[in-house]
Amino acid sequence: DVFITDPPYGDAVKYEEILDFFIAWLRKSPPSEFGDWVWDSRRALAIKGEDENFRRSMVAAYKRMAECMPDNGIQVIMFTHQSGSIWADMANIVWASGLHVTAAWYVVTETESALREGSYVKGTVLLVLRRRQGMHKTTRDDLAWEIQEEVEAKVQALAGLNQSARDLYRDENVFEDADIQMAGYAAALRVLTRYAIIDGREMAAEAIRPRVKGETTFVDGLIAFAVDTANQCLVPRGI
């Protein structure tokens, strides 16, 4: 009914290695309710990298989960990345898996530290996915307006939370610009994945088309528009 995943995008976290750390304890005293489990991290099956094989492996995993899910089931993906191209890949994976982002929650997960300076994200986007119902169609022109409205609403909501927190109990922002920009990507994903056909293109087929180095895909262009919209929302009025 519910699948919760935290995908290893860009090999940023070696999950299969971290798992061995915990398995060392579990082998010594395995929980009774999981007595017949094989305590092995299955490193050979780990999905790694950012290339075409990685994307196809991710599609296979999420598609299989969607097949096992009831019609009212949900998937929650924990996703943290500032790269627009990787967000475009995420959109492709959702489309190809027959899923639709129905909600996106931004949660602050990092604390302030003198060891970390500069523009880094402090939080994680929780994407809530359900099975895509029907074959909804739209055009790129109409979609642009929808994306703009959704991204602007999300940016204003986080900026408002920043102001509320500042007025109440803290001096620094809860969300930095990098966080707000990433939340904008998530808002765009919610709009995009609602549609099965855009400008006459079937997005499930478009999503599994191999990437060509240096090419800007149809989805890349839509995500780039969302990025620009989020950035424009962060510029103070009058500048």
Side-chain angles (χ1 to χ4, degrees):
D1 295 323
V2 180
F3 291 85
I4 301 174
T5 54
D6 188 353
Y9 242 107
D11 282 346
V13 181
K14 309 286 186 184
Y15 287 109
E16 71 281 7
E17 294 180 12
I18 293 171
L19 193 55
D20 277 334
F21 182 73
F22 295 101
I23 284 174
W25 292 327
L26 290 166
R27 279 181 182 149
K28 289 182 178 180
S29 54
S32 58
E33 60 267 44
F34 302 116
D36 58 344
W37 280 31
V38 176
W39 297 105
D40 181 358
S41 65
R42 309 294 289 275
R43 282 198 190 198
L45 299 179
I47 298 175
K48 302 177 182 178
E50 295 180 57
D51 57 10
E52 190 61 28
N53 287 335
F54 173 80
R55 199 157 63 98
R56 289 185 178 276
S57 297
M58 288 278 282
V59 168
Y62 284 104
K63 196 170 188 176
R64 182 64 185 136
M65 286 187 278
E67 288 169 357
C68 294
M69 216 166 62
D71 287 340
N72 65 343
I74 64 169
Q75 292 193 35
V76 178
I77 299 179
M78 303 174 74
F79 198 69
T80 306
H81 216 289
Q82 288 178 271
S83 166
S85 64
I86 287 186
W87 276 93
D89 273 349
M90 194 71 237
N92 283 325
I93 289 163
V94 172
W95 261 315
S97 305
L99 296 165
H100 165 212
V101 176
T102 57
W105 304 91
Y106 200 91
V107 181
V108 175
T109 54
E110 303 292 331
T111 55
E112 295 289 337
S113 169
L115 299 175
R116 303 180 69 180
E117 295 181 356
S119 180
Y120 65 89
V121 292
K122 289 183 175 180
T124 293
V125 177
L126 303 184
L127 299 172
V128 180
L129 282 66
R130 297 179 185 273
R131 279 184 174 172
R132 188 167 53 252
Q133 303 294 333
M135 293 289 286
H136 298 294
K137 302 178 182 179
T138 188
T139 64
R140 184 165 178 159
D141 289 342
D142 289 340
L143 196 60
W145 288 109
E146 281 193 68
I147 289 174
Q148 185 165 353
E149 286 178 4
E150 190 80 17
V151 171
E152 284 179 352
K154 179 64 74 174
V155 169
Q156 286 167 10
L158 294 192
L161 287 171
N162 268 349
Q163 191 57 51
S164 299
R166 187 181 289 274
D167 291 343
L168 287 173
Y169 59 88
R170 57 193 295 161
D171 295 328
E172 75 278 4
N173 285 330
V174 179
F175 304 105
E176 299 298 338
D177 287 356
D179 297 298
I180 294 175
Q181 186 184 53
M182 198 164 76
Y185 296 164
L189 223 59
R190 187 176 166 208
V191 172
L192 286 171
T193 57
R194 185 184 305 154
Y195 297 101
I197 298 172
I198 300 173
D199 273 358
R201 304 186 192 203
E202 192 170 333
M203 296 312 296
E206 188 77 18
I208 57 174
R209 191 165 61 87
R211 273 185 174 274
V212 177
K213 191 173 182 180
E215 177 193 23
T216 300
T217 67
F218 183 61
V219 180
D220 287 337
L222 293 172
I223 294 291
F225 175 77
V227 173
D228 289 342
T229 303
N231 287 339
Q232 286 168 22
C233 292
L234 296 174
V235 177
R237 288 182 183 177
I239 293 180

